[in-house]
Amino acid sequence: MSPRRALPLAAAVLVTLAACAPTVAVDVAPHAADPVCASVVLALPDQLSEDLPRLETDAQATTAWGRPDAAVVLRCGVEPLGPTTDRCQSVTTPNGPTIDWVVVEESGDWRFTTYGRVPAVEVRVPEAVTEFSTTSFVDLLGPAVALTTQERACL
């Protein structure tokens, strides 16, 4: 095959393979159109651990890591939390910012929602992920989440 014909064929194969890549279905957050959310998503890491590579999602201002059937999902633009009695945890990124997260466990799944930040960011970690990984990767999200405006802090 001539090099002229091989290039278009190779491009077609790549497009076909990309179309077959699994996409994680995610509900869009109410304030996902906030321009800061685009910056947050663009600044997120490509993987959270060796077992949690970044995946494609089908909603604006979202991303996911892991496997399509058991993905860690981040949504930017969720409703900011008001005062709460749920556990509020300050997580410091090595050589980076400290982000306050409200941490809630629901039937083995974990939900982390930024506290005092606008737009608010939510991370959901399914039980299937916590069976082989800790949630310590939340600190890796700090530099991206720090692009949001901090208005309050955990007490």
Side-chain angles (χ1 to χ4, degrees), residues 43-82:
L44 291 167
D46 287 334
Q47 55 184 73
L48 298 179
S49 73
E50 188 176 304
D51 296 323
L52 297 171
R54 194 163 176 170
L55 303 169
E56 295 294 320
T57 59
D58 65 356
Q60 179 179 355
T62 65
T63 197
W65 298 268
R67 299 185 330 249
D69 62 330
V72 173
V73 174
L74 179 143
R75 298 186 317 144
C76 184
V78 297
E79 288 293 334
L81 297 175

Coordinates of all heavy atoms in Angstrom, one line a residue, residues 43-82:
A43 N -8.1 21.3 34.1 CA -6.9 21.2 35.0 C -6.9 19.9 35.8 O -5.9 19.7 36.5 CB -6.9 22.4 36.0
L44 N -7.8 19.0 35.6 CA -7.9 17.8 36.4 C -6.8 16.8 35.9 O -6.5 16.8 34.7 CB -9.3 17.2 36.3 CG -10.3 17.9 37.0 CD1 -11.7 17.4 36.6 CD2 -10.1 17.8 38.5
P45 N -6.3 15.9 36.8 CA -5.3 15.0 36.3 C -5.8 13.9 35.4 O -7.0 13.6 35.4 CB -4.8 14.3 37.7 CG -6.0 14.5 38.6 CD -6.7 15.8 38.2
D46 N -4.9 13.3 34.6 CA -5.3 12.3 33.6 C -5.6 10.9 34.3 O -6.2 10.1 33.8 CB -4.2 12.1 32.6 CG -4.2 13.2 31.6 OD1 -5.3 13.9 31.4 OD2 -3.1 13.5 31.0
Q47 N -5.0 10.8 35.5 CA -5.3 9.6 36.3 C -5.2 9.9 37.8 O -4.4 10.8 38.2 CB -4.5 8.4 35.9 CG -3.1 8.4 35.9 CD -2.5 7.1 35.3 OE1 -2.6 6.9 34.1 NE2 -1.9 6.3 36.2
L48 N -6.0 9.1 38.6 CA -5.9 9.3 40.0 C -5.0 8.3 40.7 O -4.6 8.5 41.8 CB -7.3 9.2 40.6 CG -8.3 10.3 40.1 CD1 -9.7 10.1 40.7 CD2 -7.8 11.7 40.4
S49 N -4.8 7.2 40.0 CA -3.9 6.1 40.4 C -3.7 5.2 39.2 O -4.4 5.4 38.1 CB -4.5 5.3 41.6 OG -5.5 4.5 41.2
E50 N -2.9 4.2 39.3 CA -2.6 3.3 38.2 C -3.9 2.6 37.7 O -4.1 2.4 36.6 CB -1.6 2.3 38.6 CG -1.2 1.4 37.5 CD -0.1 0.4 38.0 OE1 0.9 0.9 38.5 OE2 -0.3 -0.8 37.8
D51 N -4.8 2.4 38.7 CA -6.1 1.7 38.4 C -7.2 2.7 38.0 O -8.3 2.2 37.8 CB -6.5 0.8 39.5 CG -5.5 -0.3 39.8 OD1 -5.0 -0.8 38.8 OD2 -5.3 -0.6 41.0
L52 N -6.9 4.0 38.1 CA -8.0 4.9 37.8 C -7.6 5.9 36.7 O -7.4 7.1 37.0 CB -8.3 5.7 39.1 CG -8.9 4.8 40.3 CD1 -9.0 5.6 41.6 CD2 -10.3 4.3 39.9
P53 N -7.6 5.5 35.5 CA -7.3 6.4 34.4 C -8.5 7.2 34.0 O -9.7 6.8 34.3 CB -6.9 5.5 33.2 CG -7.7 4.2 33.5 CD -7.7 4.1 35.0
R54 N -8.3 8.4 33.4 CA -9.4 9.2 33.0 C -10.3 8.7 31.9 O -9.7 8.0 31.0 CB -8.9 10.6 32.6 CG -9.9 11.7 32.6 CD -9.2 13.0 32.5 NE -10.2 14.1 32.4 CZ -9.9 15.4 32.6 NH1 -8.7 15.7 32.8 NH2 -10.8 16.3 32.4
L55 N -11.6 8.8 32.0 CA -12.6 8.3 31.1 C -13.3 9.5 30.4 O -13.4 10.6 31.0 CB -13.6 7.4 31.8 CG -13.0 6.2 32.5 CD1 -14.1 5.6 33.4 CD2 -12.4 5.2 31.5
E56 N -14.0 9.3 29.3 CA -14.8 10.2 28.7 C -16.2 10.2 29.4 O -16.7 9.2 29.9 CB -15.1 9.9 27.2 CG -13.8 10.0 26.4 CD -13.3 11.4 26.3 OE1 -14.1 12.3 26.1 OE2 -12.0 11.6 26.3
T57 N -16.8 11.4 29.5 CA -18.2 11.5 30.0 C -19.1 12.2 29.0 O -18.6 12.7 28.0 CB -18.2 12.4 31.3 OG1 -17.7 13.6 31.0 CG2 -17.4 11.7 32.4
D58 N -20.4 12.1 29.2 CA -21.3 12.7 28.2 C -22.0 14.0 28.7 O -23.0 14.4 28.1 CB -22.4 11.6 27.9 CG -23.3 11.2 29.0 OD1 -23.0 11.7 30.2 OD2 -24.2 10.5 28.8
A59 N -21.5 14.6 29.7 CA -22.1 15.8 30.3 C -21.1 16.9 30.5 O -19.9 16.6 30.8 CB -22.8 15.5 31.6
Q60 N -21.5 18.1 30.3 CA -20.7 19.3 30.5 C -20.1 19.4 31.9 O -20.9 19.1 32.8 CB -21.5 20.5 30.1 CG -20.7 21.8 30.3 CD -21.6 23.0 29.9 OE1 -22.7 22.9 29.4 NE2 -21.0 24.2 30.1
A61 N -18.9 19.8 32.1 CA -18.3 20.1 33.4 C -18.2 18.9 34.2 O -18.4 18.9 35.4 CB -19.0 21.2 34.1
T62 N -17.9 17.7 33.6 CA -17.8 16.5 34.3 C -16.5 15.7 33.8 O -16.1 16.0 32.7 CB -19.0 15.5 34.2 OG1 -19.1 15.1 32.8 CG2 -20.3 16.2 34.6
T63 N -16.1 14.8 34.6 CA -15.1 13.9 34.2 C -15.2 12.7 35.1 O -15.9 12.7 36.1 CB -13.6 14.5 34.2 OG1 -12.8 13.6 33.4 CG2 -13.1 14.6 35.6
A64 N -14.5 11.6 34.7 CA -14.6 10.3 35.4 C -13.2 9.6 35.3 O -12.5 9.9 34.4 CB -15.7 9.5 34.9
W65 N -13.0 8.8 36.3 CA -11.8 7.9 36.3 C -12.1 6.5 36.7 O -13.1 6.3 37.4 CB -10.7 8.5 37.3 CG -10.2 9.8 37.0 CD1 -9.1 10.2 36.3 CD2 -10.8 11.1 37.5 NE1 -9.0 11.6 36.3 CE2 -10.0 12.1 37.1 CE3 -11.9 11.4 38.3 CZ2 -10.2 13.4 37.4 CZ3 -12.2 12.7 38.6 CH2 -11.3 13.7 38.2
G66 N -11.4 5.6 36.1 CA -11.6 4.2 36.5 C -12.1 3.3 35.4 O -11.6 3.4 34.3
R67 N -13.2 2.6 35.7 CA -13.9 1.8 34.7 C -15.3 2.3 34.4 O -15.9 2.9 35.4 CB -14.0 0.3 35.2 CG -12.7 -0.4 35.5 CD -13.0 -1.8 35.9 NE -14.2 -2.1 36.5 CZ -14.4 -2.4 37.8 NH1 -13.3 -2.6 38.6 NH2 -15.6 -2.7 38.3
P68 N -15.8 2.2 33.2 CA -17.1 2.8 33.0 C -18.2 2.2 33.9 O -19.1 2.9 34.3 CB -17.4 2.4 31.5 CG -16.1 2.2 30.9 CD -15.2 1.7 32.0
D69 N -18.1 1.0 34.4 CA -19.1 0.4 35.2 C -18.8 0.7 36.7 O -19.7 0.3 37.5 CB -19.1 -1.1 35.0 CG -17.8 -1.9 35.3 OD1 -16.8 -1.2 35.2 OD2 -17.9 -3.0 35.7
A70 N -17.7 1.3 37.0 CA -17.4 1.6 38.4 C -16.4 2.8 38.4 O -15.2 2.7 38.6 CB -16.7 0.4 39.1
A71 N -17.0 4.0 38.1 CA -16.2 5.2 37.9 C -16.3 6.1 39.0 O -17.3 6.3 39.6 CB -16.6 5.8 36.6
V72 N -15.1 6.8 39.4 CA -15.1 8.0 40.2 C -15.6 9.1 39.3 O -15.1 9.3 38.2 CB -13.7 8.2 40.7 CG1 -13.7 9.6 41.5 CG2 -13.2 7.1 41.6
V73 N -16.6 9.8 39.7 CA -17.2 10.8 38.9 C -17.2 12.2 39.5 O -17.5 12.3 40.7 CB -18.7 10.5 38.5 CG1 -19.4 11.7 37.8 CG2 -18.8 9.2 37.7
L74 N -16.6 13.2 38.8 CA -16.6 14.6 39.3 C -17.6 15.4 38.5 O -17.6 15.3 37.3 CB -15.2 15.1 39.1 CG -15.0 16.6 39.6 CD1 -13.6 16.7 40.3 CD2 -15.1 17.5 38.4
R75 N -18.4 16.2 39.2 CA -19.3 17.1 38.6 C -19.0 18.5 39.1 O -19.0 18.7 40.3 CB -20.7 16.8 38.8 CG -21.2 15.5 38.3 CD -22.6 15.2 38.4 NE -23.2 15.6 39.7 CZ -24.4 16.1 39.9 NH1 -25.2 16.2 38.9 NH2 -24.9 16.4 41.1
C76 N -18.8 19.5 38.3 CA -18.6 20.9 38.7 C -19.9 21.6 38.5 O -20.6 21.4 37.5 CB -17.5 21.5 37.9 SG -17.1 23.2 38.4
G77 N -20.2 22.5 39.4 CA -21.5 23.3 39.2 C -22.6 22.7 40.0 O -23.8 23.1 39.7
V78 N -22.4 21.9 41.0 CA -23.5 21.4 41.8 C -23.9 22.5 42.8 O -23.2 23.5 42.9 CB -23.1 20.1 42.6 CG1 -22.8 19.0 41.7 CG2 -21.9 20.4 43.6
E79 N -25.0 22.4 43.4 CA -25.5 23.4 44.4 C -24.5 23.5 45.5 O -24.2 22.5 46.1 CB -26.9 23.0 44.9 CG -28.0 23.2 43.9 CD -28.3 24.6 43.5 OE1 -28.0 25.5 44.3 OE2 -28.8 24.8 42.4
P80 N -24.1 24.7 45.8 CA -23.2 24.9 47.0 C -23.9 24.4 48.3 O -25.1 24.7 48.4 CB -22.9 26.4 47.0 CG -23.2 26.8 45.6 CD -24.3 25.9 45.1
L81 N -23.2 23.8 49.2 CA -23.7 23.4 50.5 C -23.9 24.6 51.4 O -23.0 25.4 51.5 CB -22.8 22.3 51.1 CG -22.7 21.0 50.3 CD1 -21.6 20.1 51.0 CD2 -24.0 20.3 50.2
G82 N -24.9 24.5 52.2 CA -25.1 25.5 53.3 C -24.5 24.9 54.5 O -23.8 23.8 54.5

